Structures are given as structure tokens and as C-alpha cells.
Amino acid sequence: MLLAVDVGNTRIKVAVFEGNTLLEQFHFSSTELRNELHFILNKFKKATEMVVASVGNLPKEVFLEFEDQVNIHFISTDSTLPFKNKYSTPNTLGIDRMVLASGAVLKYPNQNRLVIDAGTCITYDFIDENDNYLGGAISPGIRLRFESLNSHTAKLPLLTLESITEQNPESDAIPFIGNSTLEAINSGVINGVINEIEGFISQYEAVYPKFIIILSGGDSEFLAKRLKNTIFANSNFLLESLNQTFQHKIKND
């Protein structure tokens, strides 16, 4: 039994796997880490392995406190991964992007793949059919865009994704002509993100006529209903990829 731990910029996500079966998952803040890990390990006493992928600022020592209960593994640039890293600065590639690329290669072999992860940031990662990781793009996520408008202006209010869905529970579309300040912000942020994603996909299509698109991250379900392109939407793809990457590492080390 394995604990897959994703330490993000804002939240920590933990999934418990038995083989490839996801048994349960947990979300919490970094301040709750110790208590939550104690709870999870006590609940799943058969867990023998913990694999950690971190883009946050938590020191490794926080996890090593639990090494008397479980074997702990950290994904790093030195890990055995199923793709060739063609990034010009390979050591700066984010651990989360490495794991997503690894999961795409392992789950969708012999295909061109574009992984779009919509969380705090929106990341784009392209791996070709020969398993070459070519790179991608990074832009602010939905929450960061709302926060930026609020914090860098004098009068624009802070909106959230939750407020949009509460106001329009039956509608997937955000009017592109906002006739109030709130609607204008919603249109600028949400339609801006949608147009950005669709634009990037079109640029990839001009070079690679055939590829699959995997949409992951906390905002993936919200965006999937609004995108025109055919995609595989899976908000748990990073955690599943972390489990698959660990299994690959064990087999090939």
C-alpha cells in the first residue's frame, strides 16, 4: 500500500493506493501536515511506502519524521523517469511537471501528449511519441488572476471561482460582454483562460496534427465543460501519475 503525497503551492494532497486502485484521498494545508499524516498512517496501517512530489517549501525533515513507520521516497531530477528530458534547463523543471509527463508517457504510450495542469498556475507540458519531453508553458491560474486584479488595483473586488459557480449553477458559459464590473472581471479571467488554452492547443495542432490532451488540476472539471477540444479530464491525474512513477522507479532502479 502506497501514500502518494503532492505538495503544491497552496495545498497538500495525499492519495492512498493499493496497486493502481485509489482507495481514499485527503486535502489539507501545510500546517496540518503532521496531524494528517499521523491520522492517515494510523488508518492505513498496511501502508509501507510514501512517495513525495513537492513544489512547496516544506523541508524534507517534516516527512522524515515518519520514516520509522513507512519507507519514504522523494521524486527529484535524479529519479528514474520514462522520458528523455529535452528541457534546456533540465534541473529547473518542476517536480510536478516531471510527474505529469511521466504519467502521460506511462498511461498513453507511443503518442504525442499535451498535459495541461490547471491549478495555482496553468502549466503546459508536451511529450512526443518518442517520449521526448520538449517543454511547454507556465501562466497564472484562475485564482492568481482574480487575486492579481484585486491586489494590484484600488477598487476591483476579489472574486473566486466558487462565487461564479454559485451565481450561475446551471450555466457553463460566461458572457464575453460583461455589463457590470463583476461580470467584466469574470469574463476577462475565465474567458481569458479558456481562450488561452484553446489558443495553445491550436498552436500545437499546427505542428503536431495528432496528439492527446490531458487536463488535470483543481480547476480541470470547471474548465473541461467549457473547452471545445476533446480532452481527457482527470483532476487526480498528478496523484495517479505519482503512483505510476513510483512503480516505474521501483522496476527500473
Side-chain angles (χ1 to χ4, degrees):
M1 192 174 289
L2 168 77
L3 302 187
V5 183
D6 167 28
V7 182
N9 291 298
T10 56
R11 301 282 284 170
I12 297 173
K13 300 175 185 177
V14 178
V16 183
F17 287 94
E18 185 74 71
N20 289 325
T21 302
L22 199 163
L23 302 179
E24 192 170 349
Q25 59 179 304
F26 306 83
H27 298 197
F28 46 86
S29 68
S30 59
T31 58
E32 301 171 288
L33 176 64
R34 287 185 176 87
N35 288 338
E36 289 291 336
L37 284 183
H38 277 299
F39 172 80
I40 295 167
L41 288 170
N42 284 331
K43 183 174 182 178
F44 295 94
K45 295 185 183 297
K46 292 183 179 179
T48 57
E49 313 291 334
M50 180 192 297
V51 59
V52 180
S54 175
V55 297
N57 295 318
L58 285 176
K60 287 185 176 181
E61 287 71 23
V62 176
F63 296 97
L64 294 176
E65 293 177 18
F66 297 89
E67 60 185 346
D68 60 335
Q69 296 176 260
V70 65
N71 298 316
I72 301 173
H73 313 265
F74 297 95
I75 300 298
S76 72
T77 54
D78 296 323
S79 297
T80 302
L81 299 172
F83 62 85
K84 306 174 195 74
N85 192 342
K86 299 293 186 177
Y87 219 40
S88 64
T89 55
N91 291 331
T92 69
L93 182 61
I95 300 299
D96 53 341
R97 299 174 71 191
M98 290 169 48
V99 171
L100 289 167
S102 177
V105 169
L106 294 170
K107 187 165 185 176
Y108 302 101
N110 307 313
Q111 301 179 65
N112 294 317
R113 315 94 166 166
L114 174 62
V115 185
I116 304 171
D117 186 59
T120 302
C121 294
I122 302 173
T123 59
Y124 303 81
D125 296 287
F126 195 84
I127 313 96
D128 71 15
E129 62 186 352
N130 297 313
D131 298 337
N132 294 305
Y133 175 86
L134 302 182
I138 305 172
S139 70
I142 291 174
R143 182 179 63 83
L144 281 182
R145 297 181 196 216
F146 281 136
E147 290 179 351
S148 178
L149 287 174
N150 172 250
S151 62
H152 292 282
T153 64
K155 296 184 178 180
L156 292 183
L158 175 61
L159 303 188
T160 64
L161 199 56
E162 291 74 22
S163 66
I164 295 174
T165 53
E166 287 171 3
Q167 292 168 15
N168 303 280
E170 305 296 326
S171 175
D172 290 341
I174 304 295
F176 76 94
I177 300 177
N179 69 351
S180 70
T181 297
L182 295 184
E183 287 189 3
I185 294 173
N186 285 341
S187 178
V189 170
I190 303 304
N191 290 323
V193 167
I194 292 169
N195 287 324
E196 173 191 303
I197 293 174
E198 297 280 7
F200 269 117
I201 292 172
S202 295
Q203 287 181 305
Y204 279 104
E205 286 175 336
V207 181
Y208 299 92
K210 189 175 181 180
F211 61 93
I212 65 165
I213 305 166
I214 307 155
L215 179 65
S216 67
D219 295 335
S220 58
E221 292 183 11
F222 176 86
L223 291 169
K225 295 185 291 185
R226 296 163 172 82
L227 292 169
K228 298 174 184 176
N229 286 274
T230 301
I231 59 174
F232 296 97
N234 182 353
S235 60
N236 293 324
F237 190 68
L238 195 148
L239 290 168
E240 293 175 4
S241 296
L242 190 50
N243 178 48
Q244 291 292 322
T245 299
F246 175 74
Q247 292 185 35
H248 174 83
K249 178 179 182 295
I250 293 301
K251 290 177 184 177
N252 291 278
D253 276 354

Coordinates of all heavy atoms in Angstrom, one line a residue, residues 17 41 43 82 95 128 150 178 190-191 237 241:
F17 N -3.0 4.4 -2.3 CA -3.2 3.4 -3.4 C -2.9 2.0 -3.0 O -2.0 1.7 -2.2 CB -2.2 3.8 -4.6 CG -2.6 5.0 -5.3 CD1 -2.0 6.2 -5.0 CD2 -3.4 4.9 -6.4 CE1 -2.4 7.3 -5.7 CE2 -3.8 6.0 -7.2 CZ -3.3 7.2 -6.8
L41 N -1.7 7.4 8.4 CA -0.9 6.2 8.7 C -1.5 5.3 9.7 O -1.4 4.1 9.7 CB 0.5 6.6 9.1 CG 1.4 7.2 8.0 CD1 2.7 7.8 8.5 CD2 1.7 6.1 6.9
K43 N -4.8 5.0 10.1 CA -6.0 4.5 9.4 C -5.6 3.4 8.4 O -6.3 2.4 8.3 CB -6.7 5.6 8.7 CG -8.0 5.1 8.0 CD -8.8 6.2 7.4 CE -10.1 5.7 6.8 NZ -11.0 6.8 6.3
P82 N 10.4 7.8 -17.2 CA 10.2 7.1 -18.5 C 10.3 8.0 -19.7 O 9.7 7.7 -20.8 CB 8.8 6.5 -18.4 CG 8.1 7.5 -17.5 CD 9.1 8.0 -16.5
I95 N 9.0 19.6 -10.2 CA 8.8 18.2 -9.9 C 7.3 17.8 -10.4 O 7.1 16.7 -10.9 CB 8.9 17.9 -8.4 CG1 10.4 18.3 -8.0 CG2 8.6 16.5 -8.1 CD1 11.4 17.5 -8.7
D128 N 6.5 14.0 -26.9 CA 6.2 13.5 -28.2 C 6.1 12.0 -28.2 O 6.3 11.3 -27.1 CB 7.2 14.0 -29.3 CG 8.6 13.4 -29.1 OD1 8.8 12.4 -28.4 OD2 9.5 14.0 -29.7
N150 N -7.3 42.2 -7.9 CA -7.7 42.8 -6.6 C -6.6 43.5 -5.9 O -6.7 44.6 -5.4 CB -8.4 41.7 -5.7 CG -8.6 42.2 -4.3 OD1 -7.9 41.8 -3.3 ND2 -9.6 43.1 -4.1
G178 N -19.3 41.6 -20.5 CA -19.7 41.8 -19.1 C -20.3 43.2 -18.9 O -19.7 44.2 -19.2
I190 N -12.1 34.2 -16.8 CA -12.5 32.9 -17.2 C -12.4 32.7 -18.7 O -11.8 31.8 -19.2 CB -13.9 32.6 -16.8 CG1 -14.0 32.7 -15.2 CG2 -14.3 31.2 -17.2 CD1 -13.0 31.8 -14.5
N191 N -13.0 33.7 -19.5 CA -12.8 33.6 -20.9 C -11.4 33.8 -21.4 O -11.0 33.2 -22.4 CB -13.8 34.6 -21.6 CG -15.2 34.3 -21.4 OD1 -15.6 33.1 -21.5 ND2 -16.1 35.2 -21.2
F237 N -5.0 13.3 -11.9 CA -4.0 12.7 -12.7 C -2.6 12.8 -12.1 O -1.8 11.9 -12.3 CB -4.0 13.4 -14.1 CG -3.1 12.7 -15.1 CD1 -3.4 11.5 -15.6 CD2 -2.0 13.4 -15.6 CE1 -2.6 10.8 -16.5 CE2 -1.2 12.7 -16.5 CZ -1.5 11.5 -17.0
S241 N -0.4 9.7 -11.5 CA 0.9 9.7 -12.1 C 2.1 9.5 -11.1 O 3.1 8.8 -11.4 CB 1.2 11.0 -12.9 OG 0.2 11.2 -13.9

